[in-house]
Amino acid sequence: MSGQQLIREIGSSGVAASAVGLGTWAIGGWMWGGTDEAESISAIQASLDAGVTLIDTAPAYGLGRSEEIVGKALAGRRDKAVIATKCGLVWHTDKGKHFFDQDGKPVHRYLGRDAIFHEVEESLRRLGTNYIDLYITHWQDPTTPIEETMRALEDLKTSGKIRAIGASNVSADELKAYISAGGLDAIQERFSIIDREIEADLLPLTGANGIATLSYSSLALGLLSGAIGPERVFSGDDQRRDNPRFSVANREKALAFATAIRPVADKHRASIAQTVIAWTLAQPGVTFALCGARNPAQAIDNARAGTIRLDAEDQSAIDAAISAKLTDMDR
């Protein structure tokens, strides 16, 4: 059954957005073999036109490149979008803990008050806006108390520069610390048909505390889209090139899974990717599903997933296909 675009609340913030969100990691180019700015802008605008309001980005996606592209795409349309961006991966200081190098720059995990206030101004500038709807700590910083981080975020919320507070890539203990420290509205975590670890530890906490959950890699970097065959070659700095998850054997399993759920997809006149995204949104505790797109066709395809409502029979069929086709995948 299909309906209107599914809209959900971001915790208790009063901010609502489409349950399907556009993830813009790939649009930043880094670890995805580069980017085409014109195509990326068209993809973002196509998402808005198709009813997707949630646009997720981060400074670390191409050292500001993704945010700049999002800003260009939303020029004159800012009021149509709910922007989520992040803080905590910094290259303007060597405080905190070194995480990785990008384009020759050392990037640190640092969530001190000074860095958060610096980062939010940089993000506002790149995005061409004066407020951020959802501001998320990207990766956790073991050198800064969560209480300090939350005080800084709450001060930004009080000032009107952000509207909601989120945290990403957290452990259960870190999530408990955020909950104790203040008003957390959302978490953003990896979750997909083949990545369900948060069901055991994080989702019970979010459910008990009214916190929204944004899933990222909802299509497992495209593996579950039904579009990546065993013959596909990944080149350049594409992170999937040497990833065991994208072995030929795994891609064959993913295609077998796609074949198995084809009757469900056909019932809804949907693509495999749309069906997988709809399954994700039907899981208890999962509020939003972030899905990448690098061109308008992909963006439009993802957007329609938010109009699909799977029934109990559909979900049982998909669960059976998961058990039959996706066991023992390489990690």
Side-chain angles (χ1 to χ4, degrees), residues 238-259:
D238 192 316
Q239 63 182 301
R240 296 170 292 183
R241 186 178 64 177
D242 299 314
N243 187 338
R245 173 65 66 81
F246 284 82
S247 68
V248 170
N250 278 359
R251 283 183 265 170
E252 289 174 342
K253 289 178 181 179
L255 288 179
F257 168 74
T259 299

Side-chain angles (χ1 to χ4, degrees), residues 36-47 49 73 294-296 299:
D36 181 314
E37 180 173 308
E39 277 281 87
S40 297
I41 289 172
S42 294
I44 295 166
Q45 294 174 341
S47 291
D49 292 341
R294 303 186 72 172
N295 59 58

Side-chain angles (χ1 to χ4, degrees), residues 66-320:
S66 176
E67 285 188 327
E68 290 171 350
I69 291 173
V70 169
K72 291 178 181 180
L74 296 183
R77 306 182 70 177
R78 172 66 181 92
D79 62 327
K80 305 298 183 184
V82 175
I83 298 176
T85 194
K86 306 178 186 72
C87 60
L89 294 186
V90 299
W91 57 93
H92 72 281
T93 178
D94 60 2
K95 292 181 181 179
K97 186 176 180 62
H98 180 263
F99 196 21
F100 56 80
D101 291 340
Q102 184 178 164
D103 295 340
K105 296 181 183 294
V107 177
H108 288 69
R109 290 159 58 179
Y110 181 55
L111 285 165
R113 182 183 184 88
D114 57 326
I116 290 173
F117 275 64
H118 170 84
E119 283 199 89
V120 75
E121 296 299 335
E122 290 295 292
S123 288
L124 290 169
R125 176 183 58 80
R126 287 189 289 256
L127 291 164
T129 185
N130 59 5
Y131 70 96
I132 292 163
D133 297 285
L134 174 60
Y135 203 41
I136 303 166
T137 58
H138 199 160
W139 284 86
Q140 301 312 304
D141 164 24
T143 72
T144 303
I146 286 174
E147 292 80 3
E148 176 184 336
T149 298
M150 278 298 291
R151 282 196 298 271
L153 295 171
E154 288 175 332
D155 285 347
L156 289 178
K157 189 172 182 181
T158 299
S159 73
K161 291 191 175 182
I162 67 174
R163 300 176 67 201
I165 298 170
S168 186
N169 300 303
V170 293
S171 67
D173 285 343
E174 288 165 340
L175 177 53
K176 290 174 185 176
Y178 271 104
I179 292 168
S180 296
L184 191 71
D185 298 299
I187 62 169
Q188 184 177 136
E189 301 292 329
R190 185 174 76 163
F191 180 86
S192 73
I193 282 172
I194 53 177
D195 296 297
R196 301 175 65 172
E197 294 83 1
I198 67 171
E199 290 177 330
D201 54 2
L202 299 184
L203 293 186
L205 289 169
T206 58
N209 290 278
I211 296 169
T213 298
L214 290 73
S215 74
Y216 70 77
S217 291
S218 304
L219 293 173
L221 303 179
L223 182 62
L224 300 175
S225 66
I228 297 180
E231 74 288 345
R232 175 77 171 269
V233 175
F234 302 105
S235 59
D237 71 345
D238 192 316
Q239 63 182 301
R240 296 170 292 183
R241 186 178 64 177
D242 299 314
N243 187 338
R245 173 65 66 81
F246 284 82
S247 68
V248 170
N250 278 359
R251 283 183 265 170
E252 289 174 342
K253 289 178 181 179
L255 288 179
F257 168 74
T259 299
I261 67 169
R262 175 62 68 184
V264 177
D266 289 346
K267 171 183 171 181
H268 293 276
R269 298 180 181 178
S271 67
I272 296 300
Q274 289 166 349
T275 305
V276 171
I277 297 166
W279 176 92
T280 303
L281 290 172
Q283 301 315 295
V286 178
T287 321
F288 302 94
L290 301 175
C291 311
R294 303 186 72 172
N295 59 58
Q298 291 173 351
I300 293 167
D301 191 75
N302 290 344
R304 186 174 175 268
T307 71
I308 296 169
R309 310 290 187 264
L310 300 178
D311 59 28
E313 182 180 353
D314 298 330
Q315 293 192 59
S316 293
I318 293 171
D319 289 341

